[in-house]
Amino acid sequence: MINNKFFGRRRSEPTRPVPPGQYLEDGFPVLSAGPTPRVDLATWDLSISIGGSTVGTWNWESLNALPQTDIHTDIHCVTKWSKQDTDWRGVTIDTLLADAGVETPTGFVMAGCEGGYTTNVPVPDVLEGKGLLVHTYDNEPLAPEHGGPVRLLIPHLYLWKSAKWIRSLTFMDQDAPGFWERYGYHMYGDPWREQRYTND
Amino acid sequence: MSEIEPGKKWQIATVTSVRKESPRVKLFALNLAETTPHRAGQYYDIRLTAPDGYQTQRSYSVSSSVVHSDSIELAIELINDGEVSSYFHDVVSSGDQIEVRGPIGGHFTLSPNYSKPVLLIAGGSGIAPIMSMIRSKRDAANASPTALLFSFRTEADFLFRSELVDQVKTNVGFHLLPVVTRTAARENSSGILSFGRINRDSILSAIVSLTGNAGSPASGYPQSLPARAYVCGGSGFVEAMGNHLLDIGMGLHDIRTERFGP
C-alpha cells in the first residue's frame, strides 16, 4: 500500500544499492540478546569439530599466527540497518580448515559462542573466503560490544549469522536451527531476498 | 526455547487512536484484521511506501498488554531526522492505515504468569516492551515481585507515569524507581523521583525492594538476586546496565536485553 504523505528522508544516498527494506546507517548499532560477555584472552580458544570429533583448537596466539585476510564489505542487520564500506581483518574459515589439515567438510555449520548463542549456516557460505573469524575492525581491535575479541563474519547474510564472541564451529550433516532461528528467524537469511523470518 | 513460528505476513492495520504521551513520544493504537496474540516484549515491523515506490521499514515494540490483543499500542519516539518516526508524529492520525507484520521476537519476552522476582530496567522509550510486561502481569492478576528502574531525561519524559504510579498503589508486588537524568535537582511534584543516573547503588536498591534482602554489606553483593533482569533502551545505556548486573553477580543467561538505535 502507498502512504500518500510519506516521502522518506533518504538522508545518505547509497553509493551502492542496499537490500530491500534496509536503510543506511553511519554509526555501528549494537544488537545482542544479552549483556556483553566477559572474555578472557588468556583462556580464549576456538575449536572446530567435524562429525563429532574435534579437529583443531586455536588460542589467541595461534589464531594470530595464521595468515591474515583483510576484507572490505557491506553489512546488513535484520533490524533494518545496513552499513557500507566496513573494513575487517581476520582468518578465513578456509585457512583454519587447511591449518587443521582436514578435507573440506560439506553440509552445515553451527557457530557456538560465549554465553551459549548459536547460529546455523550452510558450509558453502563460509568457504572460499566468504566466512572469516575477525578480530580487527577499522584497524582497531574489535570492541567487546561488537563481538570482540573474535567474531564470525559472513557479510553476504544478515548479521545475526555473523555470531559475536565465537568459540566453536561445529560441522554437521543436517541443518539445525540456532538461537534466533528457533525464535522464527530465517534458516538462511539472505538480505537481497529479504529472508528475515521463517517462510520469507 | 520456543518452536519455529509461522511466517509473518504483511497486513494493513488501522490507527484507532493517537495520544501524545510526552513531548517526544506518541502512543498509536492499531487495529489489526488478523491478530496473532503477542508475547510481552515482542515487536512489530512497520513498512512505509512513498508514492514513487520508495520503501522503508522499522521495528517498534508493543507496549500494550497481551490481554485484549486485537488492538496493539506502539510507543513511537520522534527521532531527529527519523523518516519513519517523523511520519508518525507529523502525519499519522486516527483512521489512517499502516502496513505492519508481527508479532516478532522471542527472547526478550516475559510470561504474564512468571512468578519469580523480576528486575526491569528501562531507558527512555525503552519502556515500551517493558510496559507490555507490566501491564500483562497486572491483567493476569500476577502480583509477584517486580521492580522497575526507569531512567528518563526530564520529568516530562516520565512515560506512562499515572499508570505506573497507580500500579504502585494497587499492586503490593510492584516497585517503581524512576530516575531523572537531565533536570537539576529540585523539589519534584510527586516526591518519588530521584536524580542522576542509574548506577550500581540504584540497582542494588531496586533489588532490595524486590527481594527484601540487603545482602552482605562487606561484599556489596545482594544475597538473593532477581531470577531475571530485562533491560531495554539505547545501546550505551543497555551496555552499562548489563555490566552493572554482571558486576553484582547476575548470570549472563538471567539478563535479557533489547537495544534501540545506534
Side-chain angles (χ1 to χ4, degrees):
Chain A
M1 66 168 284
I2 305 279
N3 301 96
N4 276 319
K5 290 179 186 161
F6 175 70
F7 304 106
R9 297 278 168 95
R10 294 168 248 200
R11 39 188 167 140
S12 11
E13 204 52 42
T15 50
R16 286 178 296 290
V18 293
Q22 297 291 105
Y23 66 93
L24 268 192
E25 176 61 60
D26 296 326
F28 195 167
V30 174
L31 276 304
S32 50
T36 300
R38 282 144 192 201
V39 180
D40 182 3
L41 271 189
T43 56
W44 180 89
D45 63 13
L46 176 107
S47 62
I48 289 185
S49 66
I50 302 176
S53 312
T54 302
V55 299
T57 302
W58 296 263
N59 62 18
W60 178 244
E61 286 72 30
S62 56
L63 184 82
N64 278 278
L66 292 173
Q68 304 291 309
T69 300
D70 289 311
I71 179 168
H72 179 91
T73 189
D74 300 345
I75 53 177
H76 313 288
C77 179
V78 72
T79 63
K80 321 292 187 295
W81 59 267
S82 290
K83 189 170 173 60
Q84 296 186 328
D85 300 306
T86 62
D87 289 287
W88 309 80
R89 183 176 307 126
V91 177
T92 64
I93 308 297
D94 310 296
T95 299
L96 288 168
L97 291 169
D99 191 53
V102 292
E103 279 185 40
T104 305
T106 55
F108 299 86
V109 59
M110 186 73 81
C113 303
E114 197 88 31
Y117 179 86
T118 55
T119 190
N120 55 305
V121 187
V123 169
D125 287 89
V126 299
L127 300 179
E128 296 174 12
K130 292 201 284 287
L132 299 90
L133 298 188
V134 293
H135 48 67
T136 300
Y137 170 71
D138 216 6
N139 285 315
E140 299 286 337
L142 182 60
E145 65 268 29
H146 291 304
V150 181
R151 77 180 292 170
L152 184 59
L153 181 67
I154 312 171
H156 69 285
L157 300 178
Y158 280 125
L159 207 55
W160 90 80
K161 298 287 186 181
S162 294
K164 295 175 177 180
W165 314 300
I166 192 156
R167 296 292 304 271
S168 66
L169 290 169
T170 303
F171 288 85
M172 51 201 190
D173 293 335
Q174 302 292 320
D175 201 5
F179 181 89
W180 287 118
E181 292 83 5
R182 280 195 294 263
Y183 282 127
Y185 283 75
H186 201 274
M187 289 290 273
Y188 184 64
D190 179 353
W192 297 97
R193 287 186 278 166
E194 212 178 348
Q195 294 172 334
R196 300 181 193 276
Y197 314 120
T198 312
N199 302 334
D200 270 356
Chain B
M1 200 64 71
S2 64
E3 311 260 304
I4 291 176
E5 295 176 9
K8 312 291 187 205
K9 291 198 169 63
W10 289 102
Q11 61 169 310
I12 293 169
T14 304
V15 178
T16 54
S17 79
V18 181
R19 183 158 69 89
K20 191 160 188 172
E21 177 67 14
S22 79
R24 298 192 68 81
V25 174
K26 283 186 174 180
L27 305 179
F28 297 85
L30 304 181
N31 210 301
L32 304 170
E34 202 178 306
T35 55
T36 307
H38 72 279
R39 281 177 283 154
Q42 285 189 302
Y43 62 89
Y44 269 73
D45 281 357
I46 302 275
R47 180 163 72 185
L48 297 181
T49 305
D52 68 355
Y54 170 80
Q55 285 190 329
T56 195
Q57 297 179 28
R58 296 291 187 279
S59 303
Y60 290 104
S61 297
V62 178
S63 52
S64 47
S65 168
V66 297
V67 181
H68 316 300
S69 57
D70 53 326
S71 164
I72 55 163
E73 180 189 81
L74 306 178
I76 300 184
E77 180 180 9
L78 180 63
I79 305 296
N80 294 334
D81 292 327
E83 56 179 348
V84 175
S85 68
S86 65
Y87 177 77
F88 269 86
H89 274 253
D90 301 342
V91 178
V92 172
S93 61
S94 192
D96 284 356
Q97 295 191 312
I98 302 288
E99 213 171 0
V100 304
R101 68 167 171 170
I104 298 159
H107 188 64
F108 194 80
T109 59
L110 177 67
S111 161
N113 300 312
Y114 191 76
S115 60
K116 295 175 185 167
V118 177
L119 174 62
L120 307 172
I121 305 181
S125 59
I127 188 69
I130 284 175
M131 198 62 201
S132 178
M133 296 176 182
I134 292 168
R135 286 167 159 171
S136 301
K137 286 190 77 176
R138 175 196 66 199
D139 293 348
N142 178 359
S144 60
T146 306
L148 170 64
L149 262 170
F150 184 14
S151 169
F152 40 85
R153 285 174 195 158
T154 71
E155 211 175 330
D157 301 307
F158 190 171
L159 304 173
F160 305 107
R161 179 176 190 153
S162 57
E163 201 174 332
L164 288 168
V165 170
D166 190 55
Q167 269 295 288
V168 176
K169 291 176 187 155
T170 56
N171 179 346
V172 291
F174 184 71
H175 306 273
L176 174 64
L177 297 96
V179 181
V180 182
T181 58
R182 289 196 190 167
T183 312
R186 61 177 169 77
E187 200 65 30
N188 69 76
S189 53
S190 67
I192 63 166
L193 301 173
S194 64
F195 296 90
R197 291 194 179 272
I198 297 177
N199 54 27
R200 187 174 143 153
D201 287 342
S202 36
I203 289 174
L204 290 174
S205 306
I207 291 174
V208 169
S209 75
L210 199 56
T211 62
N213 189 329
S216 143
S219 69
Y221 284 25
Q223 283 167 348
S224 59
L225 290 163
R228 266 192 216 165
Y230 290 81
V231 186
C232 185
S235 188
F237 175 84
V238 172
E239 193 67 23
M241 297 302 118
N243 281 326
H244 286 315
L245 294 171
L246 292 175
D247 282 343
I248 63 167
M250 279 196 73
L252 202 57
H253 295 275
D254 300 327
I255 307 165
R256 300 185 182 201
T257 62
E258 188 102 306
R259 302 164 196 248
F260 285 178

